Amino acid sequence: MTRKVADCRRYPSVSNCTLTISGEEDEVVRAAAEHAVSVHEHTDSPEMREQIRASLEDEKVAA
């Protein structure tokens, strides 16, 4: 299974967040949602989690 990545550097924020989360898709969505709520003051919702899921990228493996 391909690991997924959520990278806050791809989205502008007041805090200039640099957090990157990688792992299995459901783990990353859950962790990224918790991070978005606790750090960026977003409201957790099914819509936000779907936006996170849609923005995930495959982890690039070093050769």
Side-chain angles (χ1 to χ4, degrees), residues 4-7 10-11 21 25-37 42-57:
K4 297 293 184 176
V5 176
D7 189 344
R10 293 181 56 215
Y11 304 97
I21 302 168
E25 185 171 322
D26 288 341
E27 294 173 320
V28 174
V29 170
R30 183 175 53 251
E34 291 171 4
H35 172 73
V37 170
H42 291 285
T43 301
D44 195 355
S45 68
E47 293 81 12
M48 182 189 72
R49 288 177 182 247
E50 282 308 309
Q51 288 176 343
I52 292 169
R53 190 176 302 279
S55 72
L56 297 181
E57 296 181 342

Side-chain angles (χ1 to χ4, degrees), residues 1-23:
M1 177 179 282
T2 302
R3 289 168 47 98
K4 297 293 184 176
V5 176
D7 189 344
C8 272
R9 295 173 296 178
R10 293 181 56 215
Y11 304 97
S13 71
V14 174
S15 63
N16 293 316
C17 186
T18 63
L19 182 69
T20 300
I21 302 168
S22 65

